[in-house]
């Protein structure tokens, strides 16, 4: 496989330094991407760079994931309007270990392969670098004029906020430039990759290398991912879509991809999966014939949920998704965990009842009219039950006098009441 060709058909090349393609065709290349360790999980905004490393390794080259332990303490001004919080060493190490675990699902760190992935942290080579050594050995090679010309700096100095740029953030591009120099000299890394907002930092690194040891290195960036409607990719009302299930459940993760637009699905399936060009072309053709079946979204959601979580998590997410559309059974409902249940029924009306009401049982007609006011009157409830219009935990309720006890509770806490086909209510026993 040719790495650049692979990225090009996937729509993953934005800028590339002259000679990059020739280098990749000629030898096994070591390349790196920087990852900010400000949290103990990656979110889907990181995935484009991670997929670049994955494709790189699949094409026989060697990927390096650089955790920005030192630079993460400062914050990259590129595309940002505010300074970062500074992290302590313990937090950084914890975040690094968590991120490596996630990256292991995309990259091979553990085999004996010549091109196995490696994880490095720039804090390891920056922590003993004194300020005087840094300004003498690095700072003298790059002029202020050169640094001021970078878009990331210009935007912060002339942007709407006009809150300027601290010296700390101004030096960021020198720190990232030095990372490139260090990785070239210690690991033979000749290619740096990242999002298009990193182009300025990457070219500063190449310039520092040229001026210090005269070697030529290369850079390649991918476009920043956007949504077709102009909204920010990966952001939802509840915040980022994380790879860690503690922050975004596998069900919500699956739902995010399942609900992207047709236009976005056609782009994302190239970027966020390793499906071949032939398979993607075939899926796209099938989708265009029957867009309502959402063939692209379903395959995209499957591929990426299995890759980030597991086959079991994917199957559970599909089962949970079917609950809302009436295809599932009481058995399915009882299988899903509490987090998934709450994710599926996020936003539906909720009612709280005393759990003690279920000790000896309470009649359905009393529970759902007097205690949880789901139905306006007992007459209305009787009429709906007679017409098969009420379900409890996905089973038809055929007797208004039925005693509801603790054994009906889902996860020992919830009752799911359905009025008609689409109106759900969650009763919480406390």
């Amino acid at each position: 496989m040719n790495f650049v060709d692979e990225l090009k058909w996937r729509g993953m090349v934005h800028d590339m330094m002259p000679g990059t393609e020739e280098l990749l065709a000629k030898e096994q290349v070591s390349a790196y991407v920087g990852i900010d360790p400000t949290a103990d999980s990656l979110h889907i905004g990181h995935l484009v760079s991670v997929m670049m490393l994955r494709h790189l390794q699949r094409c026989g080259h060697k990927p390096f994931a650089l955790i920005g332990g030192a630079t993460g303490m400062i914050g990259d001004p590129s595309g940002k309007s505010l300074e970062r919080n500074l992290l302590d060493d313990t937090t950084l190490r914890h975040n690094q270990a968590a991120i490596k675990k996630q990256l292991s699902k995309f990259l091979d760190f553990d085999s004996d392969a010549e091109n196995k992935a490696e994880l490095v942290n720039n804090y390891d080579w920056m922590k003993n670098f004194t300020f005087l050594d840094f300004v003498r050995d690095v700072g003298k090679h790059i002029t202020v004029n050169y640094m001021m010309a970078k878009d990331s700096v210009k935007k912060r100095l002339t942007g709407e906020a006009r809150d300027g740029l601290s010296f700390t953030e101004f030096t960021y591009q020198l720190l990232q430039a030095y990372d490139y120099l260090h990785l070239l000299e210690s690991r033979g890394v000749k290619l740096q990759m990242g999002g298009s907002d990193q182009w300025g930092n990457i070219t500063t690194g190449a310039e520092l290398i040229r001026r210090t040891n005269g070697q030529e290195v290369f850079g390649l960036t991918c476009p920043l991912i956007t949504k077709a409607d102009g909204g920010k990719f990966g952001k939802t009302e509840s915040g980022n879509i994380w790879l860690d299930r503690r922050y975004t459940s596998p069900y919500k993760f699956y739902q995010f991809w399942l609900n992207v637009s047709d236009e976005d699905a056609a782009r994302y399936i190239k970027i966020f999966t390793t499906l071949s060009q032939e398979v993607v072309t075939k899926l796209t053709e099938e989708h265009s014939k029957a867009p309502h079946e959402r063939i692209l979204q379903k395959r995209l959601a499957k591929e990426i949920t299995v890759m980030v979580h597991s086959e079991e998590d994917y199957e559970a997410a599909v089962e949970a998704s079917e609950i809302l559309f009436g295809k599932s059974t009481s058995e399915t409902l009882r299988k899903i965990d509490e987090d998934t249940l709450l994710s599926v029924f996020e936003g539906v009306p909720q009612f709280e009842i005393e759990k003690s009401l279920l000790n000896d049982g309470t009649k359905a007609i009393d529970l759902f009219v007097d205690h949880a006011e789901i139905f306006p009157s007992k007459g209305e409830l009787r009429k709906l039950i007679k017409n098969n219009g009420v379900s409890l935990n996905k089973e038809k309720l055929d007797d208004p006098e039925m005693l509801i006890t603790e054994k009906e509770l889902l996860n020992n806490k919830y009752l799911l009441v359905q009025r008609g086909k689409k109106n759900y209510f969650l009763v919480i026993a406390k």
Side-chain angles (χ1 to χ4, degrees), residues 223-243:
L224 293 180
I225 304 302
T226 55
K227 293 201 299 190
D229 64 7
K232 190 165 182 185
F233 167 73
K235 289 277 188 185
T236 64
E237 283 176 20
S238 52
N240 282 323
I241 302 293
W242 298 92
L243 273 55

Side-chain angles (χ1 to χ4, degrees), residues 25-278:
K26 176 174 81 180
E27 60 187 74
Q28 185 189 85
V29 175
S30 293
Y32 86 99
V33 159
I35 294 167
D36 184 4
T38 44
D40 64 353
S41 172
L42 301 173
H43 54 73
I44 59 174
H46 292 108
L47 276 185
V48 189
S49 295
V50 173
M51 290 306 291
M52 287 173 93
L53 288 179
R54 184 173 169 89
H55 293 308
L56 181 93
Q57 190 171 39
R58 289 173 70 234
C59 292
H61 302 289
K62 185 174 174 72
F64 282 81
L66 180 141
I67 299 291
T71 38
M73 288 179 156
I74 292 166
D76 178 1
S78 308
K80 310 286 188 310
S81 56
L82 298 170
E83 287 211 27
R84 295 284 171 82
N85 293 326
L86 308 186
L87 301 175
D88 60 65
D89 190 32
T90 310
T91 306
L92 281 168
R93 294 296 173 197
H94 165 73
N95 292 356
Q96 176 182 325
I99 289 169
K100 182 173 182 183
K101 192 176 172 190
Q102 289 181 336
L103 288 173
S104 299
K105 298 197 171 182
F106 297 85
L107 303 170
D108 166 22
F109 286 95
D110 302 318
S111 75
D112 298 329
E114 200 183 341
N115 69 328
K116 74 172 184 179
E118 290 189 39
L119 189 84
V120 291
N121 187 334
N122 61 12
Y123 183 67
D124 294 334
W125 57 82
M126 291 304 301
K127 64 184 174 189
N128 298 319
F129 211 154
T130 69
F131 179 71
L132 289 176
D133 286 343
F134 187 78
V135 291
R136 186 190 64 198
D137 297 344
V138 179
K140 72 175 183 183
H141 294 289
I142 302 290
T143 66
V144 170
N145 305 42
Y146 181 88
M147 293 170 74
M148 293 283 284
K150 298 294 177 188
D151 282 346
S152 58
V153 174
K154 278 200 292 198
K155 281 178 185 166
R156 279 290 291 274
L157 293 176
T158 59
E160 286 172 27
R162 296 300 289 270
D163 56 352
L165 190 67
S166 69
F167 174 75
T168 307
E169 286 197 307
F170 183 58
T171 57
Y172 183 93
Q173 59 177 295
L174 288 183
L175 290 168
Q176 188 166 326
Y178 181 73
D179 286 343
Y180 203 171
L181 175 62
H182 177 84
L183 287 175
L184 170 69
E185 292 180 341
S186 63
R187 314 288 179 111
V189 172
K190 292 182 187 174
L191 174 62
Q192 185 182 168
M193 304 187 296
S196 58
D197 61 341
Q198 292 300 309
W199 185 249
N201 292 329
I202 292 171
T203 52
T204 301
E207 184 65 9
L208 176 66
I209 288 164
R210 188 185 69 77
R211 292 184 186 188
T212 50
N213 64 22
Q215 281 186 257
E216 186 182 19
V217 290
F218 302 89
L220 189 159
T221 62
C222 59
L224 293 180
I225 304 302
T226 55
K227 293 201 299 190
D229 64 7
K232 190 165 182 185
F233 167 73
K235 289 277 188 185
T236 64
E237 283 176 20
S238 52
N240 282 323
I241 302 293
W242 298 92
L243 273 55
D244 191 313
R245 64 176 62 235
R246 290 173 302 158
Y247 307 132
T248 301
S249 68
Y251 168 78
K252 271 193 174 171
F253 186 84
Y254 168 78
Q255 282 291 320
F256 171 82
W257 300 102
L258 191 64
N259 289 312
V260 300
S261 69
D262 287 357
E263 196 179 331
D264 286 336
R267 284 189 306 134
Y268 296 169
I269 200 160
K270 295 175 187 173
I271 295 167
F272 297 110
T273 75
T274 49
L275 295 172
S276 70
Q277 192 166 3
E278 293 73 26

